[in-house]
Every structure is written in C-alpha cells, then in structure tokens.
Amino acid sequence: MTDVPALKTERVRIEKWREDNLDKVGTAEFRRSTLVHRLLIDLIERGGGSSEERAYVMREMTAIHEGKRDGETAGR
C-alpha cells in the first residue's frame, strides 16, 4: 500500500520549490519538477495507484533524476 500522505507531502514540497524558483521556468530543472509533480498528482488521484502504476512512476522518476527525462526528451 502506498503512503498517500507522504505523496501529498512531497507534492507540497515540489510546489513550494516551483513557487520559489519561478526564475527557472524553461530550464531542464524546472521541466523535471513539472514531470515529477504531475506523476505525484496522478498517483494521489488514484489513491496511491496500482503496483503497475507505482512501478511506472518509479521508472519515470529514476529517469528524471538521472537526467534522461527533462520535459523535452520524454518519450524519446
């Protein structure tokens, strides 16, 4: 079972970072934060998601953190 309150806490942390770093709009860092934020919102809306959804999110977040996804390279 996924800890939905922990997902919400992380979402709030990312939202705060984004608000504090509006000067970075358009950068790869900001695009990555957008991707992570969207993944978290989707999982939260699904009550933590299924095991397959969580596995997908983990793969995507790993790719984001490794610099393989930045909002421009997603899907390549």
Side-chain angles (χ1 to χ4, degrees), residues 21-32:
N21 291 280
L22 288 176
D23 60 317
K24 295 182 181 183
V25 169
T27 66
E29 183 179 19
F30 201 89
R31 289 190 304 270
R32 286 190 297 268

Side-chain angles (χ1 to χ4, degrees), residues 12-68:
V12 168
R13 185 190 69 76
I14 291 171
E15 288 170 351
K16 173 80 170 108
W17 181 90
R18 291 168 53 81
E19 289 171 9
D20 292 345
N21 291 280
L22 288 176
D23 60 317
K24 295 182 181 183
V25 169
T27 66
E29 183 179 19
F30 201 89
R31 289 190 304 270
R32 286 190 297 268
S33 75
T34 301
L35 294 171
V36 170
H37 186 256
R38 186 70 243 170
L39 289 167
L40 290 173
I41 287 172
D42 289 347
L43 270 185
I44 291 165
E45 287 178 356
R46 290 177 171 79
S50 67
S51 60
E52 293 84 13
E53 290 168 328
R54 290 189 301 275
Y56 169 79
V57 167
M58 286 306 300
R59 285 191 305 274
E60 287 301 302
M61 289 183 77
T62 297
I64 291 165
H65 289 295
E66 290 176 352
K68 296 177 183 174

